[in-house]
Amino acid sequence: MTRTVYVNGEYLPETEAKVSIFDRGFLMADAVYEVTSVLDGKLIDFEGHAVRLKRSLDELQMAEPCTKDELLEIHRKLVELNQIDEGLVYLQVSRGSDGDRDFVFPSAETKPTLVLFTQNKPGLADSPAAQKGAKIISIEDIRWGRRDIKTVQLLYPSMGKMMAKAAGCDDAWMIEDGHVTEGTSNNAYFVKNGKIVTRPLSNEILHGITRKAVLRMAAEAQMEVEERLFTIDEAKEADEAFTTSASAFVMPVVEIDGVALGDGTPGPIAKRLREIYLDESRKAAI
C-alpha cells in the first residue's frame, strides 16, 4: 500500500512527495527530527517529543513550522490515513531553501521545510528482539559536541550500527574520554546490585524522552537510580544492562564486547521496566 505522507501543508502519496534539491536538510544536514511511537493507534509521549523539537529548533535558531496543536493534528491524521495500529511517525524540520546553496543561513523570511511520514511496525510492543536481548560492541565516539540537539547528522551512528552488524551484534555503545556516552540511537544503562546507573544529562548525550519517562517510572517503583559517568568495563561487570529509545522502548542488553551479562538473558529489572513503560504509556497515549 502506498503511504500518505505530509510535505509542507499537503497530504500526498509518497510517490508524489518532493523537496527542493537546494533544501539545507539535504545539502548540509541542517535539520532536526523526532520519532513518535504509535501503540493501539495512539501516540506515545507526544508532548515530550513536541517540547524537545522546540528546544532543538531554538538551539539552531530555526523557525517553528507550525504550532504544537497543528503538529498533533498532522500526526493523528497520518496515523488514521495509513491505518497505523503499531508503528512510528517520523517528523523532520529543515531550515528550508531560498533557491541556492550557501553556507550562510537563508533570510528569516525563508520558510522551514516540514515533512512527516509513518512506518507500520506490527508487533512493536511484543518485539522478539526484546525477549532475546541485544548484543553490543563498544566504539569510539567521534560525533560533534552538541548531541543534545536531535539533528539528522546520523552518519556516524549509522556506521556504528554497521560495525555492530559486522561483528555479529545488534548495536554499539560509544565511548568518549574513557566513559560511555550512549548507544547509536538510544540511551545506555547498566544494573549492579539492584542499582540502575546511567550517564547524566549534558550536551554529550541526547535528552531521551523515553529516558525521562523510564527514570520517573523507576523512581515510582522504588528502584535506585544513580546518574553518573561510567566505563565500559563497569558495564561488562554488571548484573544486567539495557537501553531506552522511542522506537524500542526498554531493550535489554545481554552481552557487551563478547562478555555475557548475568546468565546471558534479559535481566529482571529491564524486563520489569519494559512492562511498566508499555503499560503506563498505553494509558497516557493520545
Side-chain angles (χ1 to χ4, degrees):
M1 183 179 78
T2 300
R3 284 175 291 186
T4 297
V5 302
Y6 179 93
V7 182
N8 293 332
E10 294 186 275
Y11 294 91
L12 301 164
E14 60 181 293
T15 52
E16 297 178 17
K18 297 178 181 179
V19 174
S20 169
I21 64 167
F22 299 113
D23 191 276
R24 287 179 62 89
F26 173 64
L27 294 177
M28 297 182 175
D30 190 359
V32 299
Y33 76 104
E34 288 289 338
V35 179
T36 302
S37 288
V38 178
L39 293 178
D40 308 319
K42 295 183 178 181
L43 301 165
I44 303 297
D45 277 333
F46 174 82
E47 177 69 21
H49 288 288
V51 169
R52 186 173 62 184
L53 174 64
K54 185 179 186 309
R55 180 183 183 276
S56 292
L57 293 170
D58 289 346
E59 289 294 312
L60 296 177
Q61 302 172 35
M62 199 180 296
E64 294 181 63
C66 61
T67 68
K68 183 173 68 175
D69 288 344
E70 289 170 334
L71 273 183
L72 177 57
E73 176 58 29
I74 296 167
H75 276 71
R76 284 175 164 166
K77 187 165 183 178
L78 284 177
V79 168
E80 178 185 356
L81 290 172
N82 294 297
Q83 301 179 341
I84 304 298
D85 182 59
E86 290 192 351
L88 308 169
V89 180
Y90 178 91
L91 173 158
Q92 181 169 310
V93 184
S94 85
R95 206 178 301 272
S97 167
D98 59 2
D100 209 342
R101 180 182 182 274
D102 198 331
F103 278 84
V104 176
F105 289 175
S107 68
E109 289 73 36
T110 301
K111 292 184 178 180
T113 297
L114 175 61
V115 172
L116 291 92
F117 59 82
T118 58
Q119 292 180 297
N120 190 33
K121 301 279 186 179
L124 186 66
D126 298 322
S127 166
Q131 298 172 19
K132 179 182 177 183
K135 296 181 179 181
I136 68 167
I137 62 171
S138 59
I139 62 174
E140 182 184 3
D141 195 340
I142 58 173
R143 299 171 297 163
W144 82 313
R146 291 302 307 274
R147 301 150 197 167
D148 56 308
I149 306 172
K150 196 171 176 69
T151 73
V152 299
Q153 299 179 53
L154 297 174
L155 178 58
Y156 187 65
S158 179
M159 293 173 68
K161 295 275 191 189
M162 296 306 296
M163 292 180 215
K165 184 177 180 180
C169 294
D170 305 292
D171 205 352
W173 283 5
M174 294 177 278
I175 300 173
E176 183 176 60
D177 299 329
H179 297 102
V180 175
T181 50
E182 56 191 343
T184 58
S185 59
N186 43 58
N187 292 117
Y189 314 72
F190 75 87
V191 181
K192 186 70 175 180
N193 298 324
K195 180 189 292 185
I196 301 168
V197 179
T198 192
R199 189 179 178 110
L201 295 179
S202 67
N203 290 349
E204 281 75 42
I205 67 170
L206 182 68
H207 298 191
I209 303 305
T210 308
R211 175 191 187 277
K212 181 178 180 180
V214 167
L215 291 183
R216 173 179 57 79
M217 293 172 188
E220 291 172 352
Q222 298 185 325
M223 297 179 183
E224 186 178 1
V225 177
E226 182 179 7
E227 296 183 64
R228 64 168 174 84
L229 301 183
F230 65 92
T231 67
I232 196 70
D233 287 335
E234 282 186 274
K236 289 178 186 178
E237 296 174 359
D239 301 320
E240 57 177 296
F242 61 93
T243 63
T244 60
S245 66
S247 58
F249 312 122
V250 180
M251 176 62 64
V253 170
V254 297
E255 181 183 296
I256 300 175
D257 286 337
V259 177
L261 305 184
D263 62 2
T265 63
I269 289 181
K271 290 194 291 186
R272 181 59 183 145
L273 282 174
R274 184 179 177 88
E275 291 172 0
I276 294 172
Y277 178 80
L278 287 170
D279 182 53
E280 293 300 318
S281 296
R282 277 186 155 124
K283 290 177 182 177
I286 61 174

